[in-house]
Amino acid sequence: MDFLAPVINGFGVVLEPMNLLYCLIGVVIGMLIGVLPGLGPAATIAILLPLTYGVEPVTAIIMLSGIFYGAQYGGTITSVLLRLPGEASSVVTVFDGFALARQGRAGTALGIAAIGSFFGGTVAIIGLTLLAPVVAGFALDFGPPEYTALAMLGILLVATVSNGSKLKSIIAASLGLLLATVGRDTFTGEARFTFDNLSLADGLDFVPIAMGIFGLGEILYNLEERHNKVQAPAKVANVWPSRKDLKESSGAIGRGSLLGFFLGILPGGGATIASLAAYAMEKKRAKNPERFGRGAVEGVAAPESANNAAATSSFIPLLTLGIPANATMAIIFGALLIQGVTPGPQLVQNDPELFWGVVNSMYIGNILLLIMSIPLVGVFVKILRVRAAILAPITVLITLIGVYTINNSIFDIWLVIVFGLLGYLMKKFGFEPGPLVLAFVLGSLLEENLRRSLLVFGGDAAGFITRPISGILLLVFVVVMLLPLLQKALRKTRATAPAVEALHDEKEKV
């Protein structure tokens, strides 16, 4: 009963009219953003951060969370109808979703995606409800050494497990760590990389960096890449799937939901990797894998279930450990700090209304998504006809006005422009911006706890190994770092084994 009381109270929080309204607003904005190719949830949340300052923390986070998981389904619509993923996590849905649309079964693909998204999201919310308090209770034993090891592991996983080139991700993460050192040293008060500029004395603010890299940078990149790619959407009919379709996709939905839930917890995992892994798993275990890419309903069901489950479960490390698992979580982490809320193991005990209010809002938001997703398909198809050239200038203007209103600072506008250009160049040359922002967020946590730990250990770094939790985390860190070398050695051994056996057989014959 001690466990159930705060959970039930959390429903009381989310069912307040204002919180319900913001949950609905967040889900609708998320779906719209997912539909419009270009702006993802990270960019949208970054742009809308200034609008959350005037509301209660729980209300703000409910809305931002709704944008995140709402965008996961919205991205499906363009993947199916236009062969143009609105979200990175919907890329793999293009293969079979668009093939189904060309067969006149776009409605079936969207219906299966909606059901899979609802099921995946619900499984993850139940997992979040049961697992988050356990993780938070375990993390209460964490001190500076444990947080140091956890931050190191988080940055390494994000840099090496995320999509794209590993080297480029490591470079981006290193730049994020460097940016985190700008400003006065917390321990000595000495200025670092400020170039005698008073505006940099307190360090770089998270909001202009996030709004620049994810907001302005994404807009500039998408203007260049997608301005001529608007196509006529396929017609949508018979949205409700048949019994045969449901039977064929039910296993894929269940497996995708579980896989997505566990991958979402891992730093660097996230919805994109979960959807790719779920698709690959279904194709590998299928009796007729050649159907995939030609209109298999499992090819839509598995990734859509997985990306929604992963989006929801990625809240576990953020809310219980204070470690964001992906770029969007890093921005929500920043939103929590701006609201005066420090995510971490103490959050469950010290602010149960916020914690359970946000968690339970996902149940409501998931139901709203299911109710709205199918009837509103026609509306979303019309929105797709709005040209990026009209939306982009409006979004840029909102971004610049938004960042100025935070501190009434022209310097912040310049920061947004500088980081917007940096974000554009990173996307253009294949650098993922996520590791940079995550490393920037975790950099301060890492430095502060590393130095506190060394003070406690009297400067002896071996102290990290003597503590069980930090020792295990550092061992995992080393294993993850050496994993590519081990895999390379294993592949080399497998490749040479047949040749050695052949040589051995030849000798025996002789």
Side-chain angles (χ1 to χ4, degrees):
M1 291 302 292
D2 290 343
F3 167 73
L4 285 178
V7 178
I8 294 168
N9 290 338
F11 278 110
V13 173
V14 73
L15 289 176
E16 290 175 11
M18 185 61 73
N19 291 336
L20 272 179
L21 176 65
Y22 272 80
C23 183
L24 177 65
I25 292 171
V27 168
V28 171
I29 291 176
M31 290 181 76
L32 287 172
I33 292 305
V35 168
L36 293 171
L39 277 182
T44 308
I45 292 171
I47 291 168
L48 294 180
L49 274 180
L51 299 181
T52 62
Y53 291 0
V55 297
E56 291 293 320
V58 63
T59 309
I61 304 304
I62 283 174
M63 185 184 80
L64 298 181
S65 305
I67 293 173
F68 182 40
Y69 55 77
Q72 305 305 319
Y73 178 72
T76 311
I77 297 173
T78 46
S79 295
V80 171
L81 300 183
L82 293 177
R83 204 181 185 180
L84 192 63
E87 252 296 289
S89 60
S90 301
V91 168
V92 74
T93 308
V94 167
F95 306 150
D96 288 280
F98 188 68
L100 284 166
R102 292 185 69 180
Q103 297 166 15
R105 301 180 67 201
T108 301
L110 291 174
I112 287 290
I115 293 168
S117 299
F118 174 77
F119 190 82
T122 304
V123 166
I125 300 165
I126 294 170
L128 173 61
T129 304
L130 297 175
L131 196 60
V134 179
V135 177
F138 173 72
L140 284 173
D141 294 331
F142 278 29
E146 286 73 25
Y147 275 108
T148 304
L150 194 61
M152 286 173 60
L153 182 60
I155 293 170
L156 180 69
L157 284 172
V158 167
T160 55
V161 179
S162 59
N163 305 319
S165 162
K166 303 283 184 290
L167 178 63
K168 288 179 178 178
S169 295
I170 291 170
I171 293 171
S174 303
L175 180 59
L177 287 174
L178 182 65
L179 291 172
T181 62
V182 174
R184 285 196 193 91
D185 187 314
T186 314
F187 289 81
T188 65
E190 190 176 342
R192 302 183 301 191
F193 305 114
T194 58
F195 307 103
D196 297 326
N197 187 328
L198 287 177
S199 299
L200 291 173
D202 292 330
L204 289 166
D205 196 0
F206 170 76
V207 177
I209 291 178
M211 292 178 80
I213 287 183
F214 286 108
L216 194 56
E218 290 282 342
I219 293 166
L220 292 174
Y221 179 75
N222 285 296
L223 272 177
E224 180 180 288
E225 291 292 310
R226 292 176 173 166
H227 67 288
N228 284 327
K229 294 186 179 177
V230 178
Q231 310 168 29
K235 290 183 179 177
V236 180
N238 300 324
V239 176
W240 297 107
S242 64
R243 283 189 180 181
K244 180 174 175 289
D245 292 329
L246 285 173
K247 188 178 178 183
E248 285 180 355
S249 57
S250 57
I253 289 174
R255 289 184 290 271
S257 301
L258 291 174
L259 182 66
F261 175 77
F262 288 109
L263 288 179
I265 297 173
L266 298 176
T272 305
I273 288 180
S275 61
L276 287 167
Y279 186 86
M281 182 175 72
E282 287 307 314
K283 189 175 179 180
K284 195 170 184 179
R285 71 184 308 279
K287 290 179 180 175
N288 301 308
E290 63 276 5
R291 289 192 304 113
F292 282 75
R294 297 178 181 177
V297 287
E298 304 98 301
V300 174
E304 287 304 311
S305 311
N307 65 23
N308 272 267
T312 304
S313 64
S314 61
F315 278 89
I316 292 178
L318 173 71
L319 295 177
T320 59
L321 299 175
I323 301 291
N326 51 53
T328 309
M329 286 298 108
I331 297 173
I332 294 180
F333 179 88
L336 282 163
L337 293 181
I338 289 166
Q339 292 279 354
V341 178
T342 304
Q346 302 289 345
L347 183 65
V348 184
Q349 290 186 349
N350 296 346
D351 206 344
E353 289 193 350
L354 185 143
F355 181 85
W356 290 111
V358 171
V359 171
N360 292 345
S361 73
M362 296 178 193
Y363 288 104
I364 307 294
N366 216 25
I367 293 170
L368 290 174
L369 271 177
L370 183 67
I371 294 172
M372 292 191 302
S373 57
I374 294 175
L376 290 181
V377 165
V379 177
F380 293 135
V381 170
K382 289 181 181 174
I383 291 171
L384 284 171
R385 295 194 171 94
V386 179
R387 294 178 66 82
I390 297 171
L391 288 173
I394 298 172
T395 314
V396 170
L397 188 63
I398 292 171
T399 304
L400 296 180
I401 292 173
V403 77
Y404 178 76
T405 56
I406 298 170
N407 298 316
N408 294 330
S409 167
I410 296 293
F411 183 74
D412 284 351
I413 291 182
W414 282 112
L415 278 181
V416 169
I417 294 171
V418 169
F419 282 104
L421 291 173
L422 177 64
Y424 162 73
L425 291 172
M426 288 180 74
K427 292 280 286 185
K428 188 175 178 67
F429 294 104
F431 287 84
E432 285 290 324
L436 186 151
V437 175
L438 275 161
F440 176 77
V441 169
L442 292 177
S444 304
L445 181 79
L446 173 62
E447 183 189 0
E448 188 179 330
N449 284 290
L450 176 64
R451 293 171 73 174
R452 284 187 194 281
S453 302
L454 289 174
L455 284 173
V456 171
F457 296 145
D460 184 6
F464 288 101
I465 306 171
T466 59
R467 292 170 66 105
I469 298 175
S470 61
I472 291 170
L473 289 171
L474 286 176
L475 180 64
V476 176
F477 178 88
V478 173
V479 170
V480 171
M481 206 163 59
L482 295 177
L483 200 57
L485 294 175
L486 293 173
Q487 288 175 328
K488 193 175 177 182
L490 194 62
R491 280 197 295 269
K492 197 173 179 181
T493 307
R494 284 177 178 169
T496 54
V500 173
E501 285 178 10
L503 186 64
H504 182 69
D505 292 343
E506 284 293 327
K507 282 182 179 177
E508 283 187 345
K509 286 178 184 175
V510 171

